[in-house]
Amino acid sequence: MNPVNKPPRRPMTLRDVSEASGVSEMTVSRVLRNKGDVSAATRIKVQDAAKRLGYVPNRIAGSLASSHVNLVAVIIPSLKNMVFPEVLSGISESLDGTALQPVFGVTEYRPEKEEKVLFEMLSWRPAGIIIAGLEHSDASRAMLAQAGIPVVEIMDTDGEAIDACVGISHRRAGREMAEAILAAGYRKIGFMGTQMPLDHRARKRFEGFTRTLAKSGVEITDHEFYAGGSALTKGREMTQAMLARHPDLDFLYYSNDMIGAGGLMYLLDQKIDVPGQIGLAGFNGVELLAGLPRRLATMDACRFEVGACAANIIAKRVAGEDPGPDMVQLTPRIEFGDTLLRK
């Protein structure tokens, strides 16, 4: 069913929490407002019921209590990662000229922080939500499912969306990069990337990448995962360490362009032939790195388009117009640059 024709969900109320927890609505109100004298056991019972149901209190007072404000909640993992400012630019540009304004929250890739940010934003009854990723805690999924407003999950299409989603298939991105590397004749391959439990999209690219290599009888020679922000220094350090362990590597695949650029600078400092002796590739297509001595092979994640398309879905749904399909899968292309042979 097209989202514009979907019957609106009935918002959760105090009565729902009261019935689920077995205490009065007045007691539920006291607990959720953190007011009054309520026993610890009752407080836990009410909080657990509210969390399970995805109930979020409405902070819009008086006659506006049943309304939404003209804000679009945008929840992203990081502002330090150069990927997300372009997403935000797409959102802002798409909402320009409408009555809607974006407001941003950052989760730092932590599910518990996402729950907190989502709870606070939903309590002000935004007109819609744009949230990064398809993986959320049970509490976050419950809040999103019960929000009663348009929800667009972005950056990823490998999974089941709560409402609508816009992004790319990261497993396909990993698969296509592996195919290009194999076609160029590289076989001794190392991988460097972020810690997978926190970055689901990097994990899916790694899965698509390694599975495609395995089908051709090639296994990753070495891999290293790191915590913290993506930095040139980190890329240099990991590249030096990996080549010290495996000097015969002929290709290095990085989960993002920033650490890939650090690896490239290290190899050029060492007078290593790139891409003849060692090939390199990153991910994201960061324009800032266009001034490097060599253009790093990469794949654009369609960041601006993702943000613009997601915001357009929200705007059309709010206006009661047909937003098109529930899932929009964009198709990134490999940019071979100067570090991946073409054969």
Side-chain angles (χ1 to χ4, degrees):
M1 181 185 295
N2 195 291
V4 77
N5 298 319
K6 287 181 179 177
R9 297 186 183 94
R10 178 181 67 81
M12 282 283 164
T13 65
L14 284 177
R15 177 174 294 181
D16 294 310
V17 181
S18 172
E19 292 175 353
S21 60
V23 302
S24 69
E25 290 183 41
M26 183 176 294
T27 301
V28 169
S29 178
R30 287 174 180 163
V31 170
L32 297 179
R33 289 185 295 114
N34 200 25
K35 303 288 186 181
D37 186 15
V38 181
S39 72
T42 299
R43 188 175 298 277
I44 291 172
K45 186 187 299 183
V46 171
Q47 290 171 341
D48 286 348
K51 189 172 184 178
R52 186 174 68 254
L53 293 174
Y55 174 79
V56 178
N58 190 341
R59 288 182 177 165
I60 304 176
S63 62
L64 295 176
S66 62
S67 304
H68 293 112
V69 295
N70 286 332
L71 299 176
V72 177
V74 181
I75 303 175
I76 57 174
S78 173
L79 285 173
K80 297 176 183 177
N81 189 326
M82 297 180 66
V83 169
F84 293 104
E86 287 193 48
V87 176
L88 302 184
S89 294
I91 292 170
S92 297
E93 185 169 310
S94 189
L95 293 180
D96 190 29
T98 75
L100 301 172
Q101 293 292 329
V103 290
F104 308 119
V106 178
T107 69
E108 299 171 352
Y109 290 95
R110 289 160 42 203
E112 67 278 8
K113 180 79 177 288
E114 181 178 89
E115 287 180 18
K116 182 178 179 181
V117 171
L118 185 57
F119 183 90
E120 291 298 326
M121 286 192 163
L122 282 175
S123 70
W124 292 103
R125 295 302 188 263
I129 302 172
I130 297 173
I131 186 167
L134 294 168
E135 286 77 21
H136 314 284
S137 69
D138 290 343
S140 289
R141 289 191 68 84
M143 284 188 280
L144 291 167
Q146 297 297 334
I149 56 177
V151 174
V152 184
E153 294 162 284
I154 59 171
M155 309 302 291
D156 192 4
T157 59
D158 293 320
E160 184 177 348
I162 292 168
D163 184 357
C165 71
V166 180
I168 69 168
S169 167
H170 287 267
R171 290 194 178 95
R172 176 179 174 180
R175 182 181 75 241
E176 291 185 354
M177 184 60 77
E179 290 171 349
I181 292 169
L182 291 171
Y186 299 107
R187 291 297 181 272
K188 299 283 290 185
I189 301 166
F191 176 88
M192 284 166 267
T194 54
Q195 289 183 343
M196 299 306 178
L198 298 176
D199 191 339
H200 297 285
R201 292 173 291 285
R203 171 181 55 80
K204 291 172 184 177
R205 287 197 302 278
F206 184 66
E207 289 173 356
F209 184 73
T210 54
R211 287 174 184 172
T212 302
L213 294 181
K215 289 179 181 178
S216 296
V218 176
E219 291 188 12
I220 290 282
T221 301
D222 195 4
H223 60 266
E224 184 173 347
F225 305 124
Y226 72 95
S230 302
L232 294 172
T233 302
K234 181 67 69 174
R236 293 181 71 102
E237 292 171 352
M238 290 195 300
T239 300
Q240 181 178 8
M242 186 170 288
L243 289 178
R245 294 192 298 267
H246 300 279
D248 59 340
L249 288 174
D250 63 12
F251 201 92
L252 299 173
Y253 181 38
Y254 302 85
S255 70
N256 63 69
D257 287 345
M258 291 302 292
I259 55 172
L264 173 61
M265 297 304 292
Y266 171 77
L267 294 175
L268 294 180
D269 286 348
Q270 299 301 307
K271 311 299 183 187
I272 293 175
D273 177 17
V274 178
Q277 183 178 344
I278 300 180
L280 304 175
F283 182 82
N284 279 324
V286 176
E287 292 183 9
L288 181 66
L289 301 179
L292 288 173
R294 307 263 178 100
R295 289 179 303 124
L296 182 69
T298 187
M299 182 177 280
D300 182 9
C302 308
R303 300 176 300 281
F304 182 90
E305 293 85 351
V306 165
C309 185
N312 186 57
I313 290 173
I314 297 287
K316 286 191 173 182
R317 294 267 293 274
V318 170
E321 300 174 7
D322 184 355
D326 292 1
M327 186 183 81
V328 179
Q329 185 173 103
L330 303 173
T331 305
R333 294 181 301 173
I334 293 177
E335 299 171 16
F336 285 79
D338 303 318
T339 65
L340 173 56
L341 294 172
R342 234 190 252 253
K343 291 187 178 179

